[in-house]
Amino acid sequence: MGGYTLIENAPLVARNTLRVAARAKLLAEIRDASKLPELLDFPAVRAGRLLVLGEGSNILLTGDVDGTVLAMETRGVHVEQDGEVARIAVAAGERWDDFVRWTLGQGFAGLENLILIPGTVGAAPIQNIGAYGMEVAEFIESVEAWDQVKKRVVTLDRNACAFAYRDSLFKREPDRFIVTAVRFALPRTHTLRLDYAGIREELERMGVDKPAPFHIAEAVVHLRTRKLPDPAVIGNAGSFFKNPIVEVAQGETLKREYAELVAWPGNDSRWKLSAAWLIEAAGFKGMREGDAGMSNRHALVLVNHGTASGHELWQLAQCVIEGVHARFGVRLEPEPVVIGSEYE
Ligand code: FAD
Ligand code: EPU
């Protein structure tokens, strides 16, 4: 039995950054993606649900997993073509931040704004990770996945992945695809993204007037480290809610009533509202119920102060959803996958 390990009744507390002490009936750690069909064919695996897990940095487990957790631990980075644009195939289990730093070291541009995002490469396309004015979709050429419906490996090009803000085909059909590798197309040079609030100021503070991609990366590291709580210090899954997108009319009405509302008009005649602002204005920033809380550093981050259960964390999140809705008429949606809820 090479290529994977099976563990019964496995603890998951060290496998999710919210530090929820859930267990999996069966944990399958896979290191060789070619063994997937064999592994998926085990009666014990076929019998229950299957939950694919990377580093668990965007998931809330509201209870134990009565089925198999498939931990993606495959490794490998292959430059398939070099030149002005490099084509790089990366195994799903590689750490995202290690890969970003490696690309910068090789002189490839594109991913600098996405430095320091926790998680695996295989999870990056699931919610189309984004930060500081950039989304990963822009640099993904294709995604290779095991299709649970077709029972074979498929390659989906960027269009087929249907990427959108914190969304993709993979998120919409959650149990269908197991991402095994992502192929990136990275340029040697490109137009740097400096417009997200804080980047230019940070570059100025660093004394950089002609920025290269690694300067942007350094600026983003400074900004992220200042703003977001570190999961190694306090359990969290980054932003717990998506920034809600509303019709212009609703945005304008809210803006008339609340002049300080933070909102970004989109190019599709809708507005994106700052969920952090809504949560803070509704009075939830820094609140705490037992060990479940909303961070006092960033209003959008649900935190586990110690031993909060997944159920307790989800109860607090629902309380925030209801409170923001009652105050502003806007219904927040969780960004992480909430296992055991209607948002799964
Ligand atoms: P997991 O949490 O393990 O899984 C997330 C979802 O993807 C689950 O539904 C899982 O089933 C599915 N999945 C994972 N791997 C695969 C696979 N190989 N095939 C199929 N499905 C799979 N996100 C951003 O977009 N921008 C940010 O700036 C950002 N900042 C963050 C900061 C902090 C401190 C934290 C804790 C999180 C942050 N996140 C951010 C969220 C998170 O880092 C990303 O969503 C990341 O891509 C999750 O990777 P993961 O390996 O931990 O996925
Ligand atoms: N704000 C508040 N209160 C706070 C924090 C922020 O009112 O406690 C307001 C401020 O006005 C601030 C604005 O919210 O200017 C935006 O804050 P920030 O720049 O931190 O961005 P965000 O909208 O809260 C999004 C992503 C992050 C990503 C950052 C940077 C979502 C859901 N979140 O956060 O992604 O890192 O922008 O690009 O889109 C994640 O997905 O887990 C994540 C951390």
Side-chain angles (χ1 to χ4, degrees):
M1 267 202 341
Y4 54 86
T5 309
L6 298 175
I7 304 160
E8 280 177 45
N9 188 24
L12 299 175
V13 67
R15 289 182 180 269
N16 71 96
T17 61
L18 270 165
R19 300 279 174 258
V20 169
R23 301 186 84 85
K25 195 169 176 189
L26 188 65
L27 174 70
E29 300 169 329
I30 185 150
R31 294 171 296 279
D32 177 355
S34 73
K35 300 285 185 201
L36 257 181
E38 178 183 318
L39 175 59
L40 296 172
D41 214 28
F42 274 111
V45 176
R46 280 168 49 179
R49 73 159 301 172
L50 184 80
L51 174 65
V52 187
L53 198 62
E55 284 182 13
S57 65
N58 211 35
I59 202 160
L60 170 57
L61 301 160
T62 63
D64 292 339
V65 179
D66 185 23
T68 303
V69 166
L70 178 66
M72 298 302 290
E73 298 183 358
T74 54
R75 297 280 188 270
V77 178
H78 302 286
V79 180
E80 296 178 338
Q81 184 193 317
D82 206 341
E84 264 318 287
V85 174
R87 296 207 150 64
I88 308 167
V90 188
E94 287 286 340
R95 285 192 66 238
W96 173 258
D97 186 51
D98 289 350
F99 171 59
V100 171
R101 288 169 196 267
W102 177 86
T103 64
L104 293 170
Q106 298 294 309
F108 301 132
L111 304 181
E112 55 276 0
N113 298 53
L114 302 180
I115 197 163
L116 215 62
I117 297 180
T120 53
V121 168
I126 307 297
Q127 73 155 2
N128 178 23
I129 55 171
Y132 293 90
M134 180 165 289
E135 289 181 340
V136 71
E138 203 179 321
F139 296 97
I140 289 180
E141 190 170 73
S142 63
V143 172
E144 187 192 280
W146 174 266
D147 183 336
Q148 299 254 57
V149 173
K150 293 185 175 159
K151 305 272 182 235
R152 63 176 168 85
V153 174
V154 293
T155 299
L156 299 155
D157 66 17
R158 187 192 302 141
N159 285 338
C161 295
F163 290 120
Y165 166 64
R166 297 294 191 273
D167 199 18
S168 71
L169 171 72
F170 312 107
K171 211 166 171 184
R172 273 174 252 159
E173 293 195 42
D175 289 326
R176 180 161 175 189
F177 299 100
I178 300 170
V179 173
T180 49
V182 184
R183 185 169 289 103
F184 296 88
L186 298 182
R188 287 275 175 195
T189 55
H190 80 136
T191 311
L192 299 175
R193 303 292 161 76
L194 305 168
D195 289 337
Y196 195 93
I199 293 192
R200 287 183 200 277
E201 293 80 350
E202 194 58 43
L203 289 170
E204 211 168 297
R205 210 167 293 140
M206 289 158 54
V208 175
D209 53 1
K210 286 200 181 63
F214 67 88
H215 291 119
I216 312 287
E218 194 181 329
V220 170
V221 166
H222 291 160
L223 288 165
R224 293 185 67 99
T225 310
R226 267 207 304 276
K227 279 194 197 177
L228 290 169
D230 179 355
V233 178
I234 184 164
N236 76 86
S239 301
F240 193 81
F241 299 101
K242 290 189 267 192
N243 286 324
I245 295 173
V246 299
E247 296 302 325
V248 174
Q250 189 180 8
E252 286 175 348
T253 307
L254 282 168
K255 191 74 187 168
R256 268 196 298 277
E257 209 172 329
Y258 305 97
E260 338 71 68
L261 171 80
V262 178
W264 303 277
N267 37 20
D268 58 352
S269 83
R270 293 196 296 170
W271 284 18
K272 197 190 259 183
L273 309 181
S274 161
W277 186 88
L278 295 169
I279 293 168
E280 184 165 352
F284 291 109
K285 185 171 182 173
M287 86 168 288
R288 184 170 175 171
E289 280 290 332
D291 273 348
M294 297 308 294
S295 169
N296 55 14
R297 285 182 66 183
H298 198 300
L300 201 41
V301 182
L302 179 72
V303 290
N304 186 349
H305 288 281
T307 56
S309 68
H311 180 68
E312 287 164 340
L313 289 163
W314 182 226
Q315 275 187 318
L316 181 71
Q318 284 172 302
C319 173
V320 172
I321 293 174
E322 291 312 323
V324 167
H325 185 252
R327 176 84 186 268
F328 299 108
V330 176
R331 192 162 283 283
L332 297 178
E333 285 179 18
E335 186 205 87
V337 183
V338 184
I339 301 298
S341 82
E342 71 273 26
Y343 290 98
E344 198 181 333

